[in-house]
Structures are given as C-alpha cells and as structure tokens.
Amino acid sequence: MGVDQSPQPYIGAVPPGAYWIRNSYSGNALDLEGSNAAPGTPIVNYQVHRGLNQKWILEPGIRGYKIKNAKTGTFMGFASHDGINKGSSISGNPAAIEWDIVSEGSNYKIRLSADTSLILDLANYGTENGNKVIVWPDNCGANQHWILESCNPATYVGIIGPGAYWIRNGHTKAALDLAVPSCAPATPVINGEITRRPSQKWILETGTHGFRFKNAETGTYLSIAYRLAPVKYMNVTCNPLPMEWDVVKNGWNYRFVVFSSIGVQS
C-alpha cells in the first residue's frame, strides 16, 4: 500500500478569511484600481473606503496564501509572473501566486513565497492616493509593514458598555477635549475645563480588541499619529482613522491602553 504524501495546506500568521489590508506608514488600503478585472490592473495604496475592491480573501496554498480580490475574483500578483525583480509593481491577475505572511510586531510582512527576499513595499513612502505598491528587499521600513484587519472580527467585550461618555482625568478632574473642534488629522487632544460642549463627549464604539473613541462633535477618533508606532510620551490626537483602546480598571478609575502597543498607556 502506498502512503499519500500530498502536501499540507499553508498555515500563516493570520487565519484564512477576508481582510482589509492597510499600510502601517500611510494608513491607506490595498486597492484594486477601478475595480477592474483585466489582467495587469494596478493594485495601489488608496484612502480607506471599504469598497469590495479593497477587500482581500486569503486562500491557503502550499507555501503561502493566494490573495483574491473580493470584487473581481482576480489575485494579487504581477502583470507577468515571469522575471519578477525588486521594484516590480503588483497588479491583479487571474492566475494566483502565493504570499507568505509573517508577524512583525503588531503588524505583518507579506513576502513573495517563491522568493522570500522580496516583500510588499509602499513605493517611496508615498501617501497620496494611487501610490504604487511594489516588491522590494526587506529593509525594516514602516512602509513594508501591513495591518490586516479581519472583515469578520470577534467583538471586544469591555468592563464598561459602549455608548456616550464624558471622560475626566482622575488627578486634574478636567475633561478630555479637542484643542479646536476640527476634523483635521492630528488635531491635539487636551485636558480642559469642563464645559459639557460636544467636543468633550466621546462615543465608545466596540471594535475587535478595544473601544474606538469617537468625538461627538467631529466624528474623528482618539488616536496618535497613525503613521508611527506608538511609544511612551507621544501626544494623543484625533484622526479620521480609528485606533482601539482597551479600557482596564484602575481602582475607582480606568486606564486606556493602546491595543497596538501593550504597555503604552494614556
């Protein structure tokens, strides 16, 4: 009797399924340009809008995932799979190739399975809509780190419920407030005199690993500069893109812990 030696499916750093994929440096999403199914359609970095052309389905292969666009059914690859070199731009292709996804801190690197020296790279750290995405040798740049957000995540359960809150500092008793009522990215968040104006009202929305704190006046979220990895003493701001905060009990009060960097606290 023979023994079936057929290869086992790939097991990656994230489970198979549907994901939004964003660049850690720009905050923008992998986007199949124009939702076009034609071979060679560029895959670019574009402002997050949650369209199906920004939704990617990870299907296990043998040495990596086949990354399929939810809108067109085409796969992340290249205009031609022959002669792939550093600097080659990625595009949609009906023929699948495999990508190895590995952890990098709280983010991920996406490596070409056929040549793991080449990884997915936001070309020239560009932040404009339509910026090219290429493969490039690993240089540990933030533009080579990617955030994979499940489209069907588990739901965070906090020690307080979601809803609208006034948030005061336990020492100063002053309120969490916007320096100015602006929707602009990186608007400073301050500790100010209690007035109960809308900019001091925060709506806790349930995320995957924590609450998203949305300002009732502007609709922007309590965050830090989302292009940077959080470190201690970094100023807290409001941004259009949410960041999740784990709310933990601290005596009679609470602490807010940035999910993406355990131990960095507000």
Side-chain angles (χ1 to χ4, degrees):
M1 297 285 292
V3 177
D4 184 3
Q5 295 291 336
S6 57
Q8 298 300 305
Y10 169 80
I11 299 174
V14 295
Y19 290 84
W20 314 109
I21 303 176
R22 294 189 291 115
N23 185 263
S24 178
Y25 178 78
S26 72
N28 291 337
L30 277 187
D31 179 295
L32 182 64
E33 194 169 65
S35 300
N36 193 334
T41 297
I43 295 173
V44 297
N45 205 223
Y46 199 90
Q47 180 180 351
V48 175
H49 56 68
R50 299 302 202 208
L52 286 178
N53 67 321
Q54 292 188 349
K55 185 177 182 179
W56 299 90
I57 301 168
L58 275 54
E59 300 180 342
I62 304 304
R63 300 170 58 195
Y65 281 124
K66 302 169 185 177
I67 302 179
K68 184 170 72 176
N69 188 263
K71 176 72 173 180
T72 64
T74 52
F75 293 89
M76 189 168 81
F78 302 88
S80 170
H81 292 160
D82 296 324
I84 300 168
N85 299 299
K86 72 175 185 179
S88 294
S89 298
I90 64 167
S91 60
N93 197 307
I97 60 172
E98 296 182 356
W99 300 85
D100 180 30
I101 298 179
V102 296
S103 296
E104 180 66 22
S106 60
N107 300 321
Y108 299 91
K109 292 181 180 179
I110 304 176
R111 310 188 299 186
L112 189 61
S113 293
D115 182 355
T116 55
S117 70
L118 296 176
I119 69 174
L120 213 59
D121 178 291
L122 178 65
N124 299 316
Y125 286 82
T127 58
E128 67 277 5
N129 282 337
N131 196 82
K132 288 197 305 182
V133 180
I134 61 175
V135 288
W136 195 259
D138 188 350
N139 58 25
C140 299
N143 64 322
Q144 296 183 333
H145 296 173
W146 299 86
I147 301 163
L148 275 69
E149 181 183 349
S150 174
C151 299
N152 301 293
T155 302
Y156 170 77
V157 178
I159 60 173
I160 58 174
Y165 290 84
W166 311 107
I167 301 175
R168 296 186 291 116
N169 182 267
H171 175 68
T172 67
K173 312 303 181 186
L176 199 65
D177 195 1
L178 295 179
V180 291
S182 171
C183 297
T187 297
V189 173
I190 62 171
N191 199 223
E193 179 184 357
I194 296 172
T195 62
R196 299 299 200 208
R197 58 178 175 261
S199 63
Q200 294 185 352
K201 186 177 182 179
W202 299 89
I203 301 166
L204 274 58
E205 300 178 340
T206 303
T208 306
H209 304 285
F211 285 121
R212 301 168 181 174
F213 287 57
K214 184 167 74 174
N215 188 266
E217 181 161 2
T218 64
T220 53
Y221 291 88
L222 189 71
S223 183
I224 56 173
Y226 58 77
R227 295 177 188 171
L228 300 172
V231 295
K232 65 180 181 179
Y233 306 127
M234 180 173 282
N235 290 334
V236 175
T237 65
C238 260
N239 276 297
L241 288 177
M243 176 171 281
E244 295 187 355
W245 302 79
D246 184 23
V247 178
V248 296
K249 191 75 173 167
N250 185 35
W252 293 102
N253 299 318
Y254 300 91
R255 290 184 298 166
F256 306 149
V257 182
V258 182
F259 166 71
S260 59
S261 183
I262 299 301
V264 177
Q265 301 166 0
S266 173

